[in-house]
């Protein structure tokens, strides 16, 4: 499900909410893009993990946060490499 939140003027935000990742009850992710110049921007990813049961909360505390951080970091690094490649830039221009 696509969701949104308030951001500063000039920023772009894309948000998602899902109930599918186990052991979470809900996962919220917001991608906030802030333009820095004509060809540079800052990307901030906010992730909120929700769980109702104490067991799920413990799992989030012990395991899930580290796994999400590792996977998100890898995904952002891969996206940066793709966007930085000369092949992609020449195709877009």
């Amino acid at each position: 499900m696509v969701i949104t939140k308030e951001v500063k003027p000039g920023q772009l935000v894309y948000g998602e909410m899902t109930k599918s990742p186990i052991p979470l009850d809900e996962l919220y992710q917001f991608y906030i893009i802030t333009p820095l110049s004509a060809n540079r921007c800052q990307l901030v990813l906010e992730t909120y993990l929700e769980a109702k049961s104490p067991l799920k909360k413990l799992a989030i505390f012990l395991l899930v946060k580290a796994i999400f951080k590792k996977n998100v970091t890898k995904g952002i690094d891969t996206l940066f490499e793709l966007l930085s490649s000369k092949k992609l830039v020449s195709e877009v221009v």
Side-chain angles (χ1 to χ4, degrees), residues 82 84-93:
L82 175 68
S84 298
S85 71
K86 291 182 180 180
K87 183 179 179 184
L88 179 65
V89 172
S90 64
E91 290 175 5
V92 173
V93 175

Side-chain angles (χ1 to χ4, degrees), residues 44-85:
V44 174
L45 173 60
E46 295 179 3
T47 303
Y48 301 96
L49 311 171
E50 299 286 332
K52 296 177 183 171
S53 77
L55 186 58
K56 288 181 180 182
K57 289 179 183 182
L58 181 63
I60 288 172
F61 180 76
L62 295 176
L63 300 171
V64 176
K65 281 185 182 183
I67 293 168
F68 265 84
K69 184 175 181 178
K70 178 182 172 187
N71 290 341
V72 166
T73 300
K74 184 177 177 181
I76 295 294
D77 289 344
T78 303
L79 176 62
F80 180 76
E81 289 174 19
L82 175 68
L83 295 176
S84 298
S85 71

